[in-house]
Amino acid sequence: MVPSLRLRGRFRPWYLLDVAGFLFGAGSSLERTLAGELTRSPAAIGAITPFDVVVAVASGLLAVVVLRFTLGNVWAYAVEYANAGGRWSDLAFLVPVCGGAAALVVAYVTTSNLGAAAWAGFWIFAGLAAVVAVVASVAAGYADVSA
């Protein structure tokens, strides 16, 4: 079989997000290692040790795990919300998603650290989703009692 045909059945477009996450994590690690030395001298690439490469690979893999965890949880929330009969345009769905996105933007603007901003955005999203779930549960309970 032709290799391109075998690859077509296995390759998924969202794998490119994994590659982007890995490159971001590894690149950020190497950038911190060089700490601006590369702008002063291109020969600074020679200062990277094998340990720095291992740390960069580990950072890249960790970035992929964090990316998958974050996007997977947000996507699962959206799918479960829709499966429960909700619409993605409902206020109860938009509050956590928009709140998390706003927290990501604010954290990135204030820290200029994309990793920390994503972390903050995810936890604000998770917290708001929990609050919305509790409020919706209490409201549904009161609706059952009064009916």
Side-chain angles (χ1 to χ4, degrees), residues 11-19 67-68:
F11 180 77
R12 303 285 186 258
W14 55 83
Y15 291 166
L16 294 175
L17 283 174
D18 291 341
V19 171
L67 178 71
R68 284 252 175 147

Side-chain angles (χ1 to χ4, degrees), residues 11-138:
F11 180 77
R12 303 285 186 258
W14 55 83
Y15 291 166
L16 294 175
L17 283 174
D18 291 341
V19 171
F22 178 82
L23 291 175
F24 175 78
S28 296
S29 175
L30 289 175
E31 181 185 13
R32 283 189 305 272
T33 299
L34 293 175
E37 293 293 324
L38 195 56
T39 57
R40 288 184 221 136
S41 168
I45 291 178
I48 298 174
T49 66
F51 179 76
D52 296 333
V53 172
V54 169
V55 169
V57 168
S59 295
L61 293 174
L62 179 63
V64 170
V65 168
V66 169
L67 178 71
R68 284 252 175 147
F69 175 78
T70 303
L71 293 180
N73 279 302
V74 171
W75 181 249
Y77 177 77
V79 168
E80 287 301 318
Y81 189 83
N83 287 344
R87 289 187 313 247
W88 291 355
S89 60
D90 294 344
L91 187 61
F93 176 76
L94 291 175
V95 166
V97 172
C98 293
L104 185 141
V105 169
V106 168
Y108 183 71
V109 167
T110 58
T111 65
S112 72
N113 182 338
L114 187 58
W119 192 243
F122 173 76
W123 284 111
I124 294 297
F125 160 78
L128 287 174
V131 168
V132 166
V134 168
V135 167
S137 179
V138 169

